[in-house]
Amino acid sequence: MDDCIFCRIANGEIPSATLFEDDDFRVILDLGPATKGHALILPKQHYANIYELPEELASKAILLAKKMAEAMSEGLEADGFNIVQNNGEAAGQTVFHFHMHLIPRYEKDGAGIGWKPGKLTDEIKEEILNKVKVK
């Protein structure tokens, strides 16, 4: 897509600090990092979210995330690692081109990625079990 900034970055039309590139993906440093080393996995083809991403590319993306997490954790001496992927505005997606955040974590880094745990009641559990069907 001509108007998609991530398409333009992934395909080299806009310069980026590239950590990795192959035929399907480019991994770049995030310009607004949560922590030192925060990077993004961008597919070179446009898919708005995980729902549009073909299964083969989804598999490749998670394998690439694993490889990148290993290399980044070792190289940056991270204490932990978050792999984050948001879908839809309600989930925090702000650029509607599938991407995965690779966030090295360090003791007391203050990144604050998390949520307040709720409670799974029997009623809600049964509702979910009855409504969610994997095809």
Side-chain angles (χ1 to χ4, degrees):
M1 291 182 58
D2 292 337
D3 61 341
C4 175
I5 186 107
F6 280 2
C7 281
R8 295 180 65 208
I9 293 169
N11 289 289
E13 296 171 29
I14 296 174
S16 63
T18 299
L19 294 171
F20 174 85
E21 181 178 11
D22 66 11
D23 291 341
D24 297 312
F25 297 96
R26 182 181 297 258
V27 180
I28 65 166
L29 292 178
D30 194 310
L31 292 178
T35 65
K36 183 174 106 183
H38 181 170
L40 302 173
I41 295 177
L42 306 174
K44 291 184 175 181
Q45 290 186 319
H46 184 82
Y47 303 98
N49 51 45
I50 199 164
Y51 310 115
E52 292 183 5
L53 192 68
E55 286 185 7
E56 180 182 340
L57 275 184
S59 296
K60 287 182 178 180
I62 196 65
L63 291 173
L64 177 55
K66 179 185 183 311
K67 288 178 186 178
M68 293 302 303
E70 290 169 349
M72 294 170 73
S73 292
E74 182 179 336
L76 298 172
E77 299 179 6
D79 299 310
F81 209 90
N82 288 118
I83 298 171
V84 179
Q85 202 280 308
N86 303 319
N87 296 282
E89 195 172 330
Q93 187 178 10
T94 57
V95 179
F96 294 89
H97 178 111
F98 173 88
H99 57 286
M100 296 176 78
H101 294 264
L102 304 173
I103 306 171
R105 298 303 303 268
Y106 309 93
E107 292 295 328
K108 301 180 184 175
D109 64 21
I113 298 168
W115 54 86
K116 181 181 175 188
K119 180 172 174 53
L120 179 62
T121 64
D122 287 340
E123 181 181 337
I124 293 172
K125 175 182 69 176
E126 290 305 317
E127 176 188 353
I128 295 167
L129 292 172
N130 288 323
K131 287 184 175 181
V132 177
K133 304 296 179 201
V134 179
K135 298 175 186 175

